[in-house]
C-alpha cells in the first residue's frame, strides 16, 4: 500500500464523534466524524470493492483504523499475468493478456479432438490487480503499471468473513454459441461440481417444435424407466459424448486451478466464512463455505504433478442429455447437457446410506438446482427427469 | 368509523426547534417508540443529538411513509430516492441522525447511498468530501 503523505495526515481530525455542533463549525471538522464507527463500517462493508477501500484506507487516520475491520470484501481482477512475464514491465494490460496464453490442456485437446475446443488459458502464479487510478495518485513518478497479487491486496484486512474474487474472464475458451457453465464446491479437495452445457442456444420461436420436449407427466419415474428417457444412440457415436467429456475435464481443471490459487489467501485469513471465485463471463463459480475453508486450512492441498492445480480424486459422474430442450424463458438449448460430479468415495457412501437409485437422484436435486440461476436452473431440473449416463474417472 | 383525536407528541431538536407530530409518525423512530412504550416520554421528547434541519427532513419522510403505508400514492422506492437527493454533507448528517433515532431503514438507506458515492471517487475527491471548507 502507498504511504500516507504528510499533507494527507494534516487533514485527519481525530477519532470519535465531535464534541458539539459549535465546535465543529469553528474547526471545520471532518464531516464523517459525525458518524459513529458502526455506521462507517456498514458503509465500508457495502462498498466492499477492495480498490475503493484501498483509497479510503489512506484518506484519514480514522478510516485507516477502521478499514482493516471490514468483513465483506470483493476483489475484481483486471488481468492475469503468467509466470514468464516480468511484473514490472511497462506493458499495458491488454498486451499482457495476449501473451498470457499458456495452455495446459492444448496438448490434451489435440489428442482427443483435434482442436474443437480452443486452448484453455492457464492461470499464472501471479494474478494481477493493477489499478491505474491508484497509480496516478500514489506513484505518479513511476511510468510503469504496478501489479499486486490478491494476497498482497488483502493483507491489511484482518477480519474478512465474506470474500468474493472475480477473474476478468472464464478460463475456458469455447466456440461461439456454445454454452458452458460450471459450479464447483471444494474443501481440501473437490466436494461436488455441476456443469451445464449446450452446443448452441437459440430462441424457441426460430426453431420448429422438437419431438422430444421437456414436458413430462408429473408422475414420471425419476429412475427413467420409460423409453423417451434414454439418451439417443447417436450421442455416443457422433462425438457428442467425447465433446462432453472434454467440457467436463476442462471445467474440472479450471476449478482445481482456481482452488490451488486460493490456498495462500485461505491460510492468511482464518476468519473467512464464505469464499467465491467467479469470473466476469459468468462461466464458472468456485465456492467454499466455513466448514470447507476450515478443512482446507487443516489439510493443505496436494498439487497434481507439476501443474498449478489441486489433485482430483477418483470421480463419479452422471450425465444427462437432451438433443433439444426448451426452457421457460423462450430459449432452446441444442445438445443440452448436465453433468453432476462427486468424488467416488462420497457417492458410494450415499448409495449405501440411501439405498435405491430413486433416493439418490432426489438427494442430489436440491443442491444441483441451487447451482445456477434462472433460466439454467429450469434447464437442469428438466434434464434431471431423464435417465443419466454414468461414468467413472480416475484421479488426475 | 368514529373519528378520534390521534395522540400527538412534540419532538425538540438540539437547537431548540419543536415539531408537533402524530404518535404513529414519531414511532417510526425505534428510540422514540421504546420511550413511549416504556412510559418514559412526556409530551415533549428532547433529542439533543439531532439538529432541527435534519430532524424536519426525517419527520417529513416518516410522515410520507406512514401515509403511503395507509394506501397513499407513489412508491416506497420513490420516497427513498427523494430522501437521499441531497449533498454529501447533508447525507452524512441524516445518517448520523437516523442512527441516533434508530430509524434502521434510514440508516441502511443512507449508508448504502454514502457507499455508492464513495465507491467511484479518487482519494483526492474523498478527502475533499471530508473537508469541503479547505
Amino acid at each position: 500500500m502507498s504511504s500516507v503523505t504528510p499533507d494527507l495526515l494534516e487533514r485527519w481530525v481525530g477519532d470519535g464523534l465531535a464534541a458539539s455542533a459549535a465546535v465543529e463549525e469553528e474547526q471545520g471538522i471532518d464531516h464523517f466524524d459525525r458518524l459513529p464507527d458502526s455506521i462507517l463500517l456498514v458503509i465500508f462493508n457495502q462498498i466492499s470493492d477492495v480498490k475503493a477501500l484501498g483509497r479510503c484506507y489512506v484518506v484519514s487516520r480514522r478510516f485507516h483504523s477502521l478499514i482493516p475491520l471490514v468483513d465483506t470484501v470483493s476483489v475484481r481482477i483486471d488481468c492475469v499475468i503468467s509466470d514468464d512475464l516480468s511484473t514490472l514491465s511497462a506493458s499495458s494490460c491488454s498486451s499482457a493478456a495476449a501473451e498470457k496464453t499458456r495452455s495446459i490442456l492444448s496438448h490434451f485437446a489435440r489428442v482427443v479432438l483435434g482442436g474443437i475446443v480452443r486452448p484453455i488459458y492457464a492461470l499464472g502464479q501471479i494474478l494481477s490487480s493493477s489499478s491505474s487510478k491508484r497509480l496516478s495518485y500514489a506513484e505518479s513518478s513511476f511510468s510503469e503499471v504496478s501489479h499486486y497479487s490478491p494476497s498482497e491486496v488483502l493483507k491489511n484486512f484482518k477480519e474478512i468473513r465474506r470474500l468474493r474474487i472475480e477473474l476478468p474472464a472464464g478460463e475456458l475458451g469455447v466456440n461461439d454459441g456454445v454454452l458452458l457453465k460450471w459450479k464447483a464446491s471444494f474443501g481440501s479437495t473437490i466436494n461436488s461440481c455441476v456443469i451445464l452445457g449446450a452446443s448452441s442456444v437459440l430462441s424457441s420461436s426460430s426453431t420448429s417444435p422438437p419431438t422430444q420436449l421437456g414436458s413430462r407427466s408429473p408422475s414420471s419415474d425419476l429412475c427413467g424407466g420409460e423409453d423417451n428417457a434414454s439418451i439417443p444412440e447417436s450421442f455416443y457415436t457422433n462425438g457428442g459424448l467425447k465433446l462432453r467429456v472434454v467440457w467436463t475435464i476442462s471445467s474440472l481443471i479450471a476449478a482445481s486451478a482456481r482452488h490451488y490459487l486460493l490456498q495462500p489467501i485461505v491460510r492468511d485469513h482464518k476468519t473467512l466464512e464464505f469464499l467465491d471465485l467467479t469470473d466476469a463471463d459468468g462461466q464458472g463459480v468456485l465456492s467454499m463455505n466455513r466448514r470447507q475453508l476450515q478443512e482446507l486450512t487443516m489439510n493443505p492441498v496436494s498439487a497434481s504433478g507439476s501443474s498449478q492445480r489441486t489433485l482430483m480424486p477418483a470421480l463419479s459422474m452422471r450425465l444427462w442429455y437432451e438433443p433439444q430442450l426448451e426452457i421457460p424463458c423462450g430459449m432452446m438449448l441444442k445438445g443440452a447437457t448436465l453433468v453432476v460430479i462427486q468424488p467416488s468415495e462420497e457417492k458410494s457412501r450415499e448409495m449405501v446410506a440411501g439405498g435405491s437409485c430413486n433416493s439418490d437422484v432426489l438427494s442430489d436435486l436440491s443442491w444441483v438446482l441451487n447451482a445456477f440461476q434462472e433460466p439454467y436452473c429450469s434447464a437442469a431440473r428438466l434434464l434431471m427427469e431423464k435417465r443419466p449416463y454414468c461414468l467413472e474417472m480416475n484421479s488426475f | 368509523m368514529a373519528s378520534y383525536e390521534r395522540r400527538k407528541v412534540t419532538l425538540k431538536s438540539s437547537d431548540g426547534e419543536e415539531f408537533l407530530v402524530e404518535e404513529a409518525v414519531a414511532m417510526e423512530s425505534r428510540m422514540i417508540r421504546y420511550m413511549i412504550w416504556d412510559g418514559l416520554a412526556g409530551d415533549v421528547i428532547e433529542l439533543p443529538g439531532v439538529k432541527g434541519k435534519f430532524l424536519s427532513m426525517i419527520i417529513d419522510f416518516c410522515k410520507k411513509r406512514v401515509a403511503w403505508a395507509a394506501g397513499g400514492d407513489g412508491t416506497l422506492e420513490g420516497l427513498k430516492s427523494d430522501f437521499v437527493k441531497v449533498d454529501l454533507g447533508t447525507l452524512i448528517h441524516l445518517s448520523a441522525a437516523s442512527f441516533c433515532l434508530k430509524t434502521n431503514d434510514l440508516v441502511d438507506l443512507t449508508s448504502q447511498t454514502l457507499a455508492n458515492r464513495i465507491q467511484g471517487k479518487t482519494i483526492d475527491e474523498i478527502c475533499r468530501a471530508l473537508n469541503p471548507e479547505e
Side-chain angles (χ1 to χ4, degrees):
Chain A
M1 290 279 173
S2 66
S3 57
V4 179
T5 54
D7 56 324
L8 266 183
L9 271 179
E10 276 168 43
R11 296 190 206 213
W12 81 267
V13 248
D15 305 310
L17 295 171
S20 72
V23 174
E24 273 175 52
E25 312 269 332
E26 265 171 43
Q27 295 180 359
I29 283 179
D30 179 345
H31 269 18
F32 279 89
D33 272 357
R34 289 213 59 97
L35 298 174
D37 287 355
S38 52
I39 296 213
L40 278 184
L41 277 173
V42 168
I43 294 174
F44 293 143
N45 280 317
Q46 278 167 342
I47 290 176
S48 78
D49 170 48
V50 77
K51 287 183 197 169
L53 291 176
R55 291 192 283 266
C56 291
Y57 191 61
V58 296
V59 158
S60 76
R61 185 163 292 189
R62 187 164 173 233
F63 280 21
H64 191 90
S65 65
L66 287 175
I67 298 274
L69 306 178
V70 170
D71 64 40
T72 304
V73 179
S74 68
V75 180
R76 188 170 292 156
I77 293 179
D78 294 328
C79 70
V80 174
I81 295 185
S82 77
D83 288 347
D84 308 332
L85 294 180
S86 158
T87 53
L88 294 177
S89 78
S91 58
S92 70
C93 250
S94 51
S95 65
E99 291 177 52
K100 79 185 178 211
T101 313
R102 189 172 53 131
S103 163
I104 54 175
L105 257 208
S106 59
H107 141 85
F108 177 87
R110 274 199 297 278
V111 166
V112 175
L113 283 177
I116 288 182
V117 175
R118 289 210 309 269
I120 292 168
Y121 299 132
L123 291 174
Q125 234 173 1
I126 303 165
L127 293 185
S128 153
S129 171
S130 69
S131 166
S132 53
K133 271 193 186 170
R134 192 165 167 281
L135 170 68
S136 67
Y137 175 78
E139 295 169 28
S140 48
S141 53
F142 294 91
S143 55
E144 55 231 31
V145 176
S146 296
H147 300 281
Y148 301 91
S149 69
S151 300
E152 285 175 299
V153 164
L154 293 171
K155 73 173 191 288
N156 288 308
F157 295 92
K158 309 289 179 217
E159 309 263 333
I160 306 183
R161 300 216 310 263
R162 312 180 85 92
L163 177 61
R164 187 189 163 90
I165 303 178
E166 188 185 278
L167 296 170
E171 299 94 317
L172 309 180
V174 288
N175 295 328
D176 285 344
V178 171
L179 168 75
L180 188 54
K181 295 173 86 68
W182 57 265
K183 171 145 185 185
S185 175
F186 276 71
S188 314
T189 182
I190 192 167
N191 289 151
S192 64
C193 181
V194 183
I195 302 171
L196 182 70
S199 39
S200 60
V201 180
L202 309 158
S203 71
S204 36
S205 52
S206 62
T207 59
S208 55
T211 48
Q212 280 180 317
L213 244 192
S215 55
R216 289 170 179 75
S217 66
S219 59
S220 71
D221 185 349
L222 284 172
C223 254
E226 300 160 275
D227 276 22
N228 68 352
S230 337
I231 296 177
E233 278 306 306
S234 55
F235 177 69
Y236 303 105
T237 52
N238 67 3
L241 177 60
K242 266 195 197 158
L243 178 62
R244 270 92 190 155
V245 169
V246 172
W247 287 352
T248 302
I249 295 180
S250 312
S251 304
L252 288 172
I253 289 188
S256 58
R258 287 190 192 184
H259 179 253
Y260 192 73
L261 284 167
L262 288 177
Q263 269 201 108
I265 294 176
V266 172
R267 199 175 44 230
D268 292 341
H269 297 275
K270 305 262 187 300
T271 51
L272 270 175
E273 291 176 10
F274 294 100
L275 175 51
D276 282 324
L277 181 38
T278 64
D279 59 71
D281 294 335
Q283 187 182 80
V285 178
L286 186 149
S287 57
M288 296 177 73
N289 63 26
R290 187 183 190 143
R291 178 192 62 79
Q292 292 167 318
L293 289 160
Q294 282 173 347
E295 191 185 295
L296 180 59
T297 313
M298 292 194 302
N299 302 313
V301 158
S302 33
S304 170
S306 57
S307 64
Q308 300 291 313
R309 63 172 184 83
T310 307
L311 183 69
M312 283 280 134
L315 299 168
S316 282
M317 302 178 343
R318 271 168 290 174
L319 186 152
W320 287 265
Y321 173 80
E322 176 83 66
Q324 283 190 120
L325 182 72
E326 185 164 351
I327 53 180
C329 70
M331 279 159 55
M332 171 85 70
L333 304 182
K334 299 197 96 163
T337 312
L338 179 74
V339 188
V340 171
I341 302 152
Q342 282 172 282
S344 302
E345 208 179 281
E346 182 77 30
K347 178 91 178 1
S348 47
R349 261 205 293 266
E350 263 182 29
M351 295 285 276
V352 167
S356 73
C357 155
N358 234 348
S359 60
D360 210 28
V361 178
L362 281 171
S363 70
D364 280 347
L365 219 61
S366 53
W367 64 265
V368 172
L369 296 181
N370 288 335
F372 303 113
Q373 290 171 339
E374 290 295 348
Y376 306 113
C377 178
S378 301
R381 195 183 60 245
L382 290 169
L383 281 164
M384 284 175 85
E385 289 174 6
K386 305 192 74 176
R387 189 212 296 271
Y389 172 74
C390 299
L391 292 156
E392 294 285 326
M393 195 177 281
N394 288 334
S395 167
F396 65 95
Chain B
M1 206 164 30
S3 66
Y4 59 95
E5 188 119 8
R6 285 184 216 172
R7 271 205 54 184
K8 297 208 176 183
V9 65
T10 302
L11 304 180
K12 189 168 172 183
S13 72
S14 61
D15 44 359
E17 264 190 82
E18 292 190 356
F19 302 87
L20 186 65
V21 294
E22 286 178 12
E23 213 175 61
V25 171
M27 301 224 290
E28 290 279 298
S29 147
R30 248 166 246 261
M31 190 192 83
I32 296 178
R33 190 191 306 178
Y34 296 147
M35 280 174 77
I36 293 179
W37 285 353
D38 290 345
L40 297 171
D43 291 323
V44 178
I45 298 179
E46 303 213 12
L47 303 166
V50 187
K51 273 181 161 179
K53 174 177 165 193
F54 309 112
L55 183 57
S56 96
M57 290 172 78
I58 293 181
I59 288 175
D60 197 50
F61 175 83
C62 293
K63 277 187 187 162
K64 288 182 178 158
R65 211 237 310 265
V66 167
W68 170 82
D73 298 325
T75 61
L76 190 58
E77 286 314 306
L79 282 180
K80 285 182 174 178
S81 68
D82 285 343
F83 182 70
V84 293
K85 272 182 195 157
V86 291
D87 63 273
L88 190 63
T90 310
L91 192 57
I92 293 174
H93 280 95
L94 286 174
S95 187
S98 313
F99 179 78
C100 204
L101 293 169
K102 297 204 181 345
T103 44
N104 293 345
D105 46 353
L106 285 181
V107 171
D108 290 342
L109 175 61
T110 46
S111 314
Q112 182 63 66
T113 312
L114 280 167
N116 295 342
R117 299 244 184 131
I118 291 177
Q119 177 111 15
K121 289 186 164 19
T122 62
I123 298 177
D124 270 344
E125 285 167 347
I126 300 176
C127 287
R128 269 199 292 275
L130 255 55
N131 285 297
E133 295 88 13
E134 286 193 23

